[in-house]
Amino acid sequence: MLKELVKDQREFFASQQTKNVKYRIKYLKLLQKALVKYEDVICEALYKDFKKPTFETLATETQLVLSELNYILNRLELWAKPKRVGFTWANFPSSDWIYSEPYGNTLVISPWNYPILLTLSPLVGALAAGNTVVIKPSELSPNTSAIIAKIIAEVFPEEYVSVVEGGVSTSAALLKERWDYIFFTGSSKVAKIVYKAAAEHLTPVTLELGGKNPCIVDESAAIKVAAKRIVWSKFMNAGQTCVAPDYILVHKKVKDKFVGALKRQIAKFYGDDVQQSSDYARIATDNHYKSLKQKLGGQEILLGGICNDSDRYVAPTLINEPSLDSALMSDEIFGPILPIISYETEANIENTITTYDKSLALYVFSKKRKFQKRIINRYGFGGGVINDAVMQIANKELPFGGVGQAGIGAYHGKHSFDLFSHKKAIIKKPNWLDIPLRYAPYKLPIRLAKQFKRLF
Ligand code: NAD
């Protein structure tokens, strides 16, 4: 059946229909309509999956996709046009162009943590560029996966866009097929499997992964605002956010004040009994819940640390000075546990950050411009914010993606269109002039041939 689907999509792409920009626009608009129609149902699905608060589903999933759709729809006709670039004398006279050509049949594999955003946002980019798409949503957010399948089946012909629901074996079966582009969001462990499968067919990939995102708070930081922004970005989605701060590096001088501000802010956001708050999500799967609970073992808890098995609830938790060798600090945390590590010198910061691979994000809270600049320039990471966290995703002009172990490639807005398009170089030449310099038998003196560099 999968083979049939891939064959149908291949034939459909070959029919050239998706090369027509108006055709793409028509379907992007239909998707936009369907998203609006099903927005409440989507919110319910995410609540069923891991009690994601409706506000968070709107703010971090559906509305972001709708805004991406709007942005792309307003610009697509312009982007899709061949772009003229300068000529070189070697080709005189000529007009030189870049054509954006869709890759063809694409596969999008997505995770459970932002199951709408991380499925539909790449989909929109792939469609804008003129590709067909097979989507494999995560089996770990089953209600959302089902609503995605329903919406897609309602909007698109199967040979254009199709959802294949299922778990690891379904994903593995899809990866055996030949694709023209694979867009994967998830863990680095699975990314290696995806990358290997893609290599079999020399298929280009985007890998959107995670990492241990440092969040530095120096002694000049506006502590109250920093605490507010950090608490929101870390505990939204119960910490299951790839760009959330993973750990805090705070200057020793302001540590106590900062920890106090974090505690007060958590109480302000979620009340004294966080489990009763309708604004706080749960851990999405039993396995992930168990692994988070284990990570708390042996740590000094400054706040929280409460877990409830039947509800997969992990309280917003602050950990004091964990050892970098501990289970908590060995890998991306991906949950509502925030380690606080103090530093005195920039060398201390460097020692901690360079213990890990390049991260997806880095945040620095400081009023000192030179310090901000040194941090931004010193470390390799996907993207970041000065004096806030997570908000780099909220500007479509900015490319979103990782580097090193945090991923390959970046998307959002025009970056998505470019990511899903092959850039075809075309030179158009007339016949009325044919300068004979390059033809054999070569008569041009070598002395002059050594000046060819001026022509290219
Ligand atoms: P995951 O890698 O376990 O799963 C992602 C997808 O891969 C799912 O659809 C799953 O069915 C499939 N999959 C799982 N095992 C597979 C296998 N052996 N072979 C083929 N396919 C397989 O990731 P997850 O747990 O769903 O998501 C969490 C991870 O995703 C975290 O590491 C997080 O940092 C990362 N993430 C990154 C971004 C980003 O934009 N960079 C966003 C969200 C999450």
Side-chain angles (χ1 to χ4, degrees), residues 21 23 51 57 65 68 107 117 178 185 199 203 222 237 288 309 317 323 347 365 405 425-426 443 447:
V21 179
Y23 183 86
K51 290 198 179 168
T57 299
V65 179
E68 177 93 2
L107 172 65
L117 177 69
R178 196 182 138 229
T185 308
T203 299
N237 220 38
H288 190 39
D309 296 359
T317 298
S323 146
F365 289 79
Q405 295 295 301
I426 297 293
K443 294 210 179 91
R447 165 179 65 81

Side-chain angles (χ1 to χ4, degrees), residues 1 38 64 138 210 230 235 269 328 349 418 422:
M1 201 196 101
Y38 283 106
L64 278 180
S138 175
I230 290 169
F235 299 111
F269 281 176
L328 181 68
I349 296 180
D418 288 338
H422 163 63

